[in-house]
Amino acid sequence: MQISRSEQKRRVKEIERLMAELVSLSPHILSQALVPEEFRQELLAAAALRGSVRQRQIKYLTKVAQQYPLENLYDLVSRHRGHALAARKQMHTLEFYRDALIDEALEQQERCRQAGSNCEEQWPSQSVSALQAEMPEIDPLVLLRLASLFARTRNPRYSREIFRYLRSVQEMRQRTNSRRSEEE
């Protein structure tokens, strides 16, 4: 799945927000972060800085952080600062998948129109394959049908339905994961 430059910039901005939140945490909390020691020391050093120097350091940390898995860092910030940052990231991820699926459906509709044939509601979709890899619980037929309906009618209702469906699957996964962690 091709990621646009705008989407790449949005993702970097989200990581930058994460780094700003991490830098504002206390050193005791930062010691719990599951990152290499050098990176932890950089975070602690950035916490002592002020003004534009701190902003430059946060941008540097953003660049370095892209090579590490960020889920643990989002969890750490969520535990100590609230869930707003992680929820925002999840919403943007779902919006990205919805938009990619809709774009793919519109391209498929255009190919069918040029070929002079009727478009079916099922086609080999890279977006759905990527979504299934991340969320195996999804029903690909539901997503393909909604995307096809949007491409055919351009009714924004179907776009919202795709987003709602993805969000419901994600919330179900989170509830399941929280139950598992409570049982352990």
Side-chain angles (χ1 to χ4, degrees), residues 127-157:
S127 300
V128 172
S129 298
L131 264 167
Q132 275 188 306
E134 190 169 317
M135 291 189 262
E137 300 89 356
I138 66 166
D139 183 359
L141 298 177
V142 169
L143 290 173
L144 289 172
R145 181 174 179 277
L146 289 169
S148 178
L149 286 170
F150 178 84
R152 206 174 314 131
T153 64
R154 302 292 201 275
N155 188 340
R157 171 182 164 220

Side-chain angles (χ1 to χ4, degrees), residues 4-184:
S4 69
R5 290 187 66 167
S6 298
E7 179 63 23
Q8 290 172 357
K9 290 177 185 179
R10 279 190 288 273
R11 288 181 180 190
V12 168
K13 202 63 160 165
E14 285 296 317
I15 296 171
E16 191 174 317
R17 285 187 192 101
L18 173 65
M19 291 302 115
E21 288 290 331
L22 282 170
V23 166
S24 67
L25 293 174
S26 71
H28 172 69
I29 295 171
L30 282 177
S31 66
Q32 299 171 8
L34 299 174
V35 293
E37 188 59 35
E38 312 86 52
F39 188 67
R40 183 178 294 116
Q41 293 305 318
E42 291 286 338
L43 285 169
L44 291 169
L49 302 173
R50 297 287 171 241
S52 61
V53 176
R54 184 178 185 150
Q55 284 304 108
R56 278 195 304 273
Q57 188 66 14
I58 287 173
K59 288 190 183 292
Y60 168 73
L61 289 170
T62 300
K63 184 176 180 181
V64 173
Q66 292 178 21
Q67 62 187 340
Y68 302 122
L70 300 175
E71 292 307 315
N72 293 328
L73 297 176
Y74 275 104
D75 290 342
L76 182 69
V77 169
S78 293
R79 279 183 294 193
H80 298 284
R81 295 290 239 173
H83 299 283
L85 193 64
R88 181 182 171 130
K89 178 188 178 282
Q90 290 172 347
M91 184 186 75
H92 284 298
T93 302
L94 294 179
E95 286 174 343
F96 169 73
Y97 280 126
R98 178 202 57 204
D99 293 344
L101 180 60
I102 285 174
D103 289 344
E104 197 173 35
L106 291 171
E107 289 172 9
Q108 180 68 18
Q109 182 78 16
E110 182 62 24
R111 281 193 293 267
C112 289
R113 188 187 65 75
Q114 289 176 355
S117 64
N118 280 338
C119 248
E120 295 187 20
E121 290 184 351
Q122 297 178 20
W123 71 91
S125 171
Q126 293 177 349
S127 300
V128 172
S129 298
L131 264 167
Q132 275 188 306
E134 190 169 317
M135 291 189 262
E137 300 89 356
I138 66 166
D139 183 359
L141 298 177
V142 169
L143 290 173
L144 289 172
R145 181 174 179 277
L146 289 169
S148 178
L149 286 170
F150 178 84
R152 206 174 314 131
T153 64
R154 302 292 201 275
N155 188 340
R157 171 182 164 220
Y158 299 116
S159 171
R160 290 189 296 267
E161 285 295 321
I162 292 170
F163 184 80
R164 281 188 205 114
Y165 178 75
L166 292 174
R167 190 174 62 199
S168 69
V169 170
Q170 187 178 53
E171 288 172 355
M172 181 184 66
R173 291 182 79 204
Q174 288 173 343
R175 281 194 302 271
T176 304
N177 290 340
S178 66
R179 283 188 200 131
R180 285 183 188 153
S181 63
E182 289 174 2
E183 291 173 358
E184 293 174 355

